[in-house]
Amino acid sequence: MTNQNPSYIDSVVDVVRLIPAGRVTNYGAIADFLALGSARMIGWALNKSGINDPSIPAHRVLNRKGQLTGRLAFKDPDYMERTLTKEGIPIKDNQVQNFELYYWHPEELLDQ
DNA sequence: AATTTGACGCAGC
DNA sequence: AGCTGCGCCAAAT
């Protein structure tokens, strides 16, 4: 392999893969869980690795308001809304309705 | 090498 | 309760 991604990108991808279907989380939660110190790095890391890999459910990562801020980064701008809707999450005007109801935090893994 | 930008979040106003 | 500014860290120019 000519290029190797930094370890924190791999960590972000690993956490995103653990998001259950029908649930969503935000950048800050992952950044806090991984102690990256900056939520900006989450979206950046996913754009670097996630978009290129369809096996990563990057569509379940939103901003703190529950808005689909990353939809333009996808090949199809409607991919996030379409996929989340298919998973049973109501979206209106690029924003998840009842965001708190579907909100998922990585700490829930420790409670299992 | 310095500046700008980005799938963000929070405090202050 | 919404708008603005600042902090955050890495990459691109």
Side-chain angles (χ1 to χ4, degrees):
Chain A
M1 299 306 108
T2 54
N3 34 27
Q4 174 97 29
N5 289 335
S7 57
Y8 53 84
I9 292 185
D10 195 42
S11 300
V12 171
V13 171
D14 188 48
V15 173
V16 172
R17 282 190 208 262
L18 296 175
I19 304 173
R23 294 292 194 94
V24 290
T25 189
N26 57 23
Y27 304 98
I30 299 174
D32 184 58
F33 183 72
L34 296 177
L36 292 182
S38 178
R40 291 182 181 272
M41 300 171 60
I42 307 301
W44 170 82
L46 286 176
N47 199 4
K48 199 75 178 172
S49 271
I51 294 302
N52 230 7
D53 192 336
S55 67
I56 303 174
H59 59 274
R60 297 182 188 143
V61 185
L62 315 172
N63 73 350
R64 79 174 187 91
K65 302 171 195 168
Q67 294 175 318
L68 282 57
T69 49
R71 63 178 214 160
L72 296 176
F74 286 80
K75 300 172 183 83
D76 293 327
D78 294 329
Y79 174 78
M80 287 186 79
E81 179 173 344
R82 190 180 343 122
T83 307
L84 289 173
T85 301
K86 199 188 305 180
E87 293 181 354
I89 298 177
I91 297 173
K92 174 151 189 160
D93 193 30
N94 296 323
Q95 181 165 341
V96 173
Q97 306 299 296
N98 303 318
F99 178 57
E100 290 186 354
L101 186 63
Y102 302 100
Y103 183 67
W104 177 89
H105 193 282
E107 274 187 10
E108 291 188 15
L109 293 175
L110 306 179
D111 191 41
Q112 279 184 28

